[in-house]
Each structure stands twice: as C-alpha cells, then as structure tokens.
Amino acid sequence: MANDSTLKTSHTQENYLKALYHLTLEKKEVTVNDLAKRLDLKMPSITSMMQKMANEKLIKYEKYKPIKLTEKGKKEAAIIIRKHRLTEMFLVEKMNFGWEEVHDIAEQIEHIQSQKFFQKMDDMLGHPALDPHGSPIPDKYGNYKQLDQKTLDQADLNTTVVVIGLTNSSDDLLRFLNSKGIKLGSEMVIVEKEPFDGSMKVAVGKKEMMLSSTVSAQLFFQVKK
Amino acid sequence: MANDSTLKTSHTQENYLKALYHLTLEKKEVTVNDLAKRLDLKMPSITSMMQKMANEKLIKYEKYKPIKLTEKGKKEAAIIIRKHRLTEMFLVEKMNFGWEEVHDIAEQIEHIQSQKFFQKMDDMLGHPALDPHGSPIPDKYGNYKQLDQKTLDQADLNTTVVVIGLTNSSDDLLRFLNSKGIKLGSEMVIVEKEPFDGSMKVAVGKKEMMLSSTVSAQLFFQVKK
DNA sequence: GTATTAAATTAGATTATCCTAACAAATATT
DNA sequence: AATATTTGTTAGGATAATCTAATTTAATAC
Ligand SMILES: [Mn+2]
Ligand SMILES: [Mn+2]
Ligand SMILES: [Mn+2]
Ligand SMILES: [Mn+2]
C-alpha cells in the first residue's frame, strides 16, 4: 500500500513539476523564492509542497538548499510539457486557433489522463518536433531535445535571418508580433543596430520597423543561407 | 464580495450538477441516497455538499426532502453536458475514436474553461444535435431538447426498425454492440419475440441474432418507413 | 565581524472535499 | 401501534492545498 505505483500525481503537483523543469533550464539553481514567484504563491506553500514532493521522490530537497528534480520528476515534468505543447500544436494546426490563444487552454488540457488522446494528436500532427512557438516537444518517454539558440539582438548587421522561436510565449509578446506581422519563419534583414539602447531596425519584406532590445532578445533566429 | 458572479463552480460541483440533472430526468424525485450511489460517495458527503450548493442557489434543498435543481443549476448542468457531448462527438468524428472510448476522456474535458474551445468544436462539427450515442446536445444557452423515445423491447413483430440511440452508454453495452456489429443507424427486422423472457430474434442485414431484453431495453428505435 | 536585509521555515488557520461513527427521522413490516 | 429497516443528518476527523504571522537561517553590507 505504501508504494502504490498507480498513485496519480495531482493536477497541482504537475504544475509544480513543470515550473521546476522550466526554472531549471533557466537558472540551474532553483530556490523556494523562484518557485513562489513563478507559481504566484507564498513561500510557505512552496516549502510545504517541497517536503511532500521530496517524500514522493519527485525532487531532492534539503532545507535552505536549492531544489533539484529527480530523474523521475524530470520525466514526469517532460511528459506534461509534451502534452502541453502537443495540445498547442493541435489547437493551432487542427482547430485554427491563433498562436496567442492556445496557451491558457493547453494549461488545462495538459492534465487530461489519457495516453491515447495525446497519441492521436501526435499522429494527426505527424509527430511534430516543435510547438507553435518554436519550442521543442519532448518525446513520449520524456526525453527533451534542448536547442541552444541565439536571440536576434546578437544577429550581425546586414544579415538575413529567419525567426525560428521565442524565449517565451507571453500573450503580450505574441500579440505584439501579430501586430507587426512577424511569425515563425518570417525573414528579416538587420538594417541598423543602435548600440546605445540595443534597438535595431529590420526589414520584414518591404516593411521596415524598429525592434527594441526587449523584443529582439526574445526572438530566436537562424541565419538565412 | 459576497455575490461575485465570477465565482467559478468547481470541478467537483460540476459533476454533482450533472448527476443531479441526469437523475432528475430519470426519476423526478432525487434523493441523497440516489446521488450517493450515482457519484459513488457516502451519504454524509452528499448532505454536506447539498447544504453548500443550496447556499449557492444551485439547488433547492430542505432536510429530508427530495433535491431539486434551480433554474441556474439546470442551466449550468446543461452546459457541462453540452461540453461533454460535443467532446464525444469531436473525438469520434474528428479524431477517429470508437464510440466506446470517448466517455472517460469527455468526463475530463467537459471541465475545461474556454468557451472558444467548445465553440470551435461545435463549428467544426457543423452544430450537431446528437452525440455519438444518440443523446441530444443541449444548446449553448443550456436548453435541452428531450426526445421521448421507445426502446426496442416495445417494437412490433415483423417491423423494420432503425437504431437511433441508447438509454445509456456504458462501456459494456457499447462493446457488446460492437461485437454484434450494431451501431446507430443499423436497420433490423424483428423476427421473433419470446414472451417468456422478453428476448427477441432480430435480423441485422443477413445476420440473425438473439437480443435479451436487457439489451433491447437499452436501444431506442424508430420504425423504418 | 557585527548589523541589516532577504530568504526560508515553522506554527497555526482556513477552505474544499470526503470519511466513519453516532444519532434521528421517515418508511416499511408485522 | 410497536418494531425493524432504511434513509438522512450531525459531529468530529482526515487530507490536500493555501494563507498570515512569527521565528530562524543565510546572505549582504557596513
Ligand atoms: Mn504554452
Ligand atoms: Mn496546467
Ligand atoms: Mn458520455
Ligand atoms: Mn466530469
């Protein structure tokens, strides 16, 4: 009874796992405070959940030390992320949602318990490697292929680049990009770079526009060859 | 603060509402005991939830008296049922699931909060009136069109009938029908009726088979004209 | 290296949901 | 009607997830 492997990770814990996974990729040292901010909870809530998740061997946790996912925790997290990103892709590709509309729905659907449901999505989509925002979709075993990509603020003057992903997919960023007509696959030429504030002028097709460093630092690119 | 109309009905309460709605159609007098059995909970849990839901004006409830849904409760219930049935239809029509596979997934997806998500399903499906098991889908305002249908055990000898629905869609029934090759729209001739146990022999195409009254009482039919 | 600040933990409550045990009311049976 | 049975309620407790307030530990700044 103590070690029933059919015990289901709760909805809530799945969200903790995901947050931990993402923070780990961002920072390597994840603290109680980081998690509290990410999940918009108070620190005591985090501490107490960390104690519980450590018991369940999802994380390694010692008082006052940084939090680490175990292999088990990593795998479970990656599988939720897979379900999230497959869902986003499904919503965009098969149900005609805009890329700025899908995150909140995926945040809920990622918790559906049905391997077959996500298997069908995956099949219908032809086993996509990336979600609609250019982020990699872990495989069904929880393996994650991290692409290390450079952001647009590091692109050289006069090169032609292709936008291939986003560091994050906040509604605000996505709507900003929509308004500028920028999407994944968009090509642009780096026309000017302003060293003072890091802003740049780019040409997307015939349209020229200024991008602040705030924006350009959130776009992954590849040099067009 | 006391009357915040944005307060969301919980996952749990949505399931209570649905159960109440279905039981009301089945029995007209719904008791604490009925609900306890339907939801597989103990009676004290029901009593205490009924007290809470009465406070929230979802039901009318007085100690020891049968439970009634309010208009508000009925509407909310019908909207969950709508989401459930649209989901089942979507899974069958757009994702190629078998009709016996969709209920458990729909049981979860019905709780997703996103009008737009279900709106898209509805559009993609062309605003279906019935779910894959022949049950009516309430409209988006919570209006329910109850069809009063007769079950196959009441069909006359030698008539040709079409199966148009099921009184319930338990896995067991659906798998039995699959094994017999019976689905919605199947035509059959009533070849023999055995008064002793209520069983009947029917011809589905060229195949003749016996249906017990247990089965025939779960199939809605229409006379083929 | 002491003092200050920030981060983390503990203690103790709260809300939601569900349970068992004990009791009460309503129904059914002699 | 008196008794037995079934149904429903109350009392009191458990677990999950969260919070505020108080306290402790660690990190930073003088
Ligand atoms: Mn997302
Ligand atoms: Mn989520
Ligand atoms: Mn169903
Ligand atoms: Mn449900």
Side-chain angles (χ1 to χ4, degrees):
Chain A
M1 279 301 142
N3 239 331
D4 186 339
S5 69
T6 65
L7 278 179
K8 283 276 167 286
T9 308
S10 71
H11 206 186
T12 306
Q13 283 190 14
E14 288 184 348
N15 286 333
Y16 274 85
L17 284 173
K18 251 194 349 167
L20 273 167
Y21 195 98
H22 287 133
L23 283 167
T24 301
L25 293 181
E26 292 164 30
K27 314 195 43 192
K28 290 303 135 78
E29 290 272 275
V30 181
T31 66
V32 168
N33 201 224
D34 293 333
L35 249 188
K37 280 172 185 148
R38 183 59 58 94
L39 291 172
D40 197 23
L41 296 173
K42 305 300 179 181
M43 280 196 291
S45 308
I46 307 298
T47 300
S48 116
M49 184 60 94
M50 292 307 95
Q51 290 163 349
K52 192 197 278 193
M53 288 174 73
N55 264 352
E56 294 165 12
K57 309 287 183 214
L58 293 166
I59 59 168
K60 261 171 303 217
Y61 170 69
E62 293 170 83
K63 280 186 179 196
Y64 302 108
K65 298 260 192 69
I67 304 155
K68 311 274 183 199
L69 283 165
T70 60
E71 278 311 307
K72 181 184 173 202
K74 253 180 249 178
K75 187 140 298 187
E76 287 205 27
I79 284 170
I80 311 298
I81 292 168
R82 171 180 172 78
K83 296 199 286 180
H84 182 104
R85 291 183 176 166
L86 274 177
T87 300
E88 290 187 339
M89 201 60 176
F90 187 87
L91 292 173
V92 167
E93 294 294 315
K94 302 297 175 187
M95 295 184 77
N96 259 116
F97 277 91
W99 70 345
E100 79 286 3
E101 301 178 301
V102 298
H103 178 81
D104 289 348
I105 300 175
E107 200 57 56
Q108 301 175 65
I109 294 194
E110 67 191 0
H111 306 290
I112 300 292
Q113 316 267 182
S114 165
Q115 290 212 211
K116 196 153 185 183
F117 179 58
F118 295 99
Q119 185 61 58
K120 289 257 187 193
M121 277 189 184
D122 191 35
D123 292 344
M124 287 174 72
L125 292 166
H127 316 292
L130 303 175
D131 81 6
H133 315 107
S135 303
I137 300 175
D139 74 20
K140 71 173 70 163
Y141 309 107
N143 301 308
Y144 189 83
K145 198 161 295 162
Q146 172 129 33
L147 329 162
D148 62 342
Q149 300 168 125
K150 274 193 241 155
T151 48
L152 203 57
D153 53 323
Q154 301 164 63
D156 295 328
L157 198 59
N158 293 321
T159 52
T160 300
V161 302
V162 185
V163 177
I164 58 167
L166 312 173
T167 59
N168 74 79
S169 13
S170 68
D171 273 33
D172 288 346
L173 174 62
L174 295 174
R175 272 195 282 267
F176 173 82
L177 296 175
N178 283 348
S179 75
K180 297 292 183 183
I182 298 172
K183 45 187 203 280
L184 293 196
S186 289
E187 291 185 13
M188 50 179 70
V189 184
I190 315 297
V191 178
E192 269 179 49
K193 294 183 76 172
E194 174 54 69
F196 173 61
D197 64 356
S199 65
M200 49 173 55
K201 186 193 282 184
V202 300
V204 183
K206 284 144 213 238
K207 258 194 308 187
E208 293 205 331
M209 59 186 79
M210 293 299 301
L211 298 181
S212 69
S213 65
T214 309
V215 171
S216 63
Q218 294 184 265
L219 303 183
F220 291 127
F221 76 97
Q222 216 175 262
V223 176
K224 176 93 189 289
K225 37 158 209 252
Chain B
M1 279 302 144
N3 238 329
D4 186 340
S5 70
T6 66
L7 280 179
K8 282 279 168 287
T9 308
S10 73
H11 206 172
T12 306
Q13 284 191 12
E14 289 185 347
N15 285 333
Y16 274 84
L17 284 173
K18 249 193 353 163
L20 273 167
Y21 195 99
H22 287 133
L23 283 167
T24 301
L25 293 181
E26 292 164 29
K27 315 196 41 196
K28 290 305 136 85
E29 290 274 276
V30 181
T31 66
V32 167
N33 201 224
D34 293 333
L35 251 188
K37 280 173 185 146
R38 183 59 59 94
L39 291 172
D40 198 23
L41 297 172
K42 303 301 178 178
M43 280 197 292
S45 307
I46 307 297
T47 300
S48 114
M49 183 60 94
M50 291 307 95
Q51 290 163 349
K52 192 198 277 194
M53 288 173 75
N55 265 350
E56 295 165 10
K57 308 289 183 211
L58 293 166
I59 58 168
K60 259 169 302 215
Y61 170 69
E62 291 171 86
K63 278 187 178 192
Y64 301 109
K65 298 259 192 72
I67 304 155
K68 310 276 184 196
L69 284 164
T70 60
E71 277 311 308
K72 180 185 174 200
K74 255 180 247 178
K75 187 139 297 187
E76 286 204 29
I79 284 170
I80 311 299
I81 292 169
R82 172 180 171 78
K83 296 199 286 181
H84 182 104
R85 292 183 175 166
L86 274 177
T87 300
E88 290 187 339
M89 201 62 177
F90 186 87
L91 293 173
V92 167
E93 294 294 317
K94 302 297 175 189
M95 295 184 78
N96 260 114
F97 277 91
W99 69 347
E100 79 287 1
E101 300 177 301
V102 297
H103 179 81
D104 289 348
I105 301 176
E107 200 57 55
Q108 301 175 65
I109 293 194
E110 68 190 0
H111 306 289
I112 300 293
Q113 314 265 184
S114 164
Q115 289 212 212
K116 195 153 186 181
F117 180 58
F118 295 99
Q119 184 61 56
K120 290 257 188 194
M121 278 191 184
D122 191 35
D123 292 345
M124 287 174 73
L125 291 167
H127 317 293
L130 303 176
D131 81 6
H133 314 108
S135 303
I137 300 175
D139 73 20
K140 73 173 70 161
Y141 309 107
N143 302 309
Y144 190 83
K145 199 161 295 162
Q146 172 131 35
L147 330 163
D148 62 342
Q149 299 170 127
K150 275 192 240 155
T151 50
L152 202 59
D153 54 323
Q154 301 164 64
D156 295 327
L157 197 62
N158 292 320
T159 53
T160 300
V161 302
V162 185
V163 177
I164 58 167
L166 312 173
T167 59
N168 76 80
S169 12
S170 69
D171 273 34
D172 287 347
L173 174 62
L174 295 174
R175 272 196 282 267
F176 172 82
L177 296 176
N178 283 348
S179 75
K180 296 292 182 182
I182 297 171
K183 45 185 202 281
L184 293 196
S186 290
E187 290 183 16
M188 49 180 70
V189 183
I190 315 299
V191 177
E192 267 180 48
K193 294 183 77 171
E194 173 55 69
F196 172 63
D197 63 356
S199 66
M200 50 173 56
K201 186 192 279 182
V202 300
V204 182
K206 284 147 215 234
K207 260 192 307 188
E208 291 204 333
M209 58 187 78
M210 292 299 303
L211 298 180
S212 71
S213 65
T214 310
V215 171
S216 63
Q218 294 185 267
L219 304 183
F220 291 127
F221 75 96
Q222 216 175 262
V223 178
K224 177 91 187 293
K225 39 158 211 256

